[in-house]
Each structure stands twice: as structure tokens, then as C-alpha cells.
Amino acid sequence: MELDLEGASLKAVLNRLRRAQGQISGVIRMIEEGRDCEDVVTQLAAASRALDRAGFAIIATGLQKCVIDMEDAHRNGEDTEQMRARLEKLFLSLA
């Protein structure tokens, strides 16, 4: 399955990933500076949420594409159960 996000969707995902990247850099800096554990964990949790949201947005877009491409999958020999298993694996990778 190819990643094909349209304009606004792609921009939103990239913004979330950049935000997470900045937050992770902040966490590294905080640890290096010996900052308070609670502050570090709070920042790390924010980065984790940003990554999760980006992942879910990518999966949601992928689901749309999968529904549209379901007929192509049948033509290529992939049955409904194989498609379901592939999508389940994607969801579980973020759990």
C-alpha cells in the first residue's frame, strides 16, 4: 500500500511529526541538563501522543485507500481475510 496523502492531510501529518521531532529534541536536552523527572516525562508523553496521532492519520488515509482499492486486491488474488489481517497488523503496530 503506497502512502498517498493529499495536500491538507499530508501537511497536517508532517506538522505533527515535526512537532514530535522538536519535543523529542527537547526531551534529550532536558535529560542532558538534568531537568526534573516529571517535566521530562510530561514532554515525552506529548511527543508520544503526537506520533500516535500522525500514525492514526496515516492509517485512516490508508483505510480509505484500501476500501477504494478492495476490488483491485480481489483482482490481484488477495481475499477479504488477507486484507483484514493486513489492516489489523497496521492497527496493532500503533497499540
Side-chain angles (χ1 to χ4, degrees), residues 18-63:
R18 286 187 183 103
R19 187 176 311 123
Q21 183 179 33
Q23 289 167 327
I24 291 168
S25 294
V27 169
I28 292 168
R29 189 173 46 257
M30 293 169 77
I31 292 170
E32 291 172 343
E33 294 171 354
R35 298 275 298 274
D36 181 66
C37 179
E38 187 176 341
D39 293 340
V40 172
V41 170
T42 299
Q43 190 69 14
L44 190 58
S48 178
R49 283 190 302 275
L51 288 173
D52 286 345
R53 287 182 178 159
F56 290 134
I58 290 168
I59 286 178
T61 301
L63 281 174

Side-chain angles (χ1 to χ4, degrees), residues 69-79 82-83 86:
D69 292 347
M70 187 67 92
E71 289 181 10
D72 289 341
H74 285 292
R75 279 183 240 142
N76 292 332
E78 185 175 35
D79 65 20
Q82 289 171 320
M83 176 73 78
R86 201 161 46 106

Side-chain angles (χ1 to χ4, degrees), residues 60-93:
T61 301
L63 281 174
Q64 268 184 314
K65 183 171 175 33
C66 286
V67 169
I68 292 168
D69 292 347
M70 187 67 92
E71 289 181 10
D72 289 341
H74 285 292
R75 279 183 240 142
N76 292 332
E78 185 175 35
D79 65 20
T80 304
E81 183 60 27
Q82 289 171 320
M83 176 73 78
R84 189 204 58 77
R86 201 161 46 106
L87 292 173
E88 182 179 339
K89 184 177 177 181
L90 278 176
F91 274 114
L92 291 176
S93 69

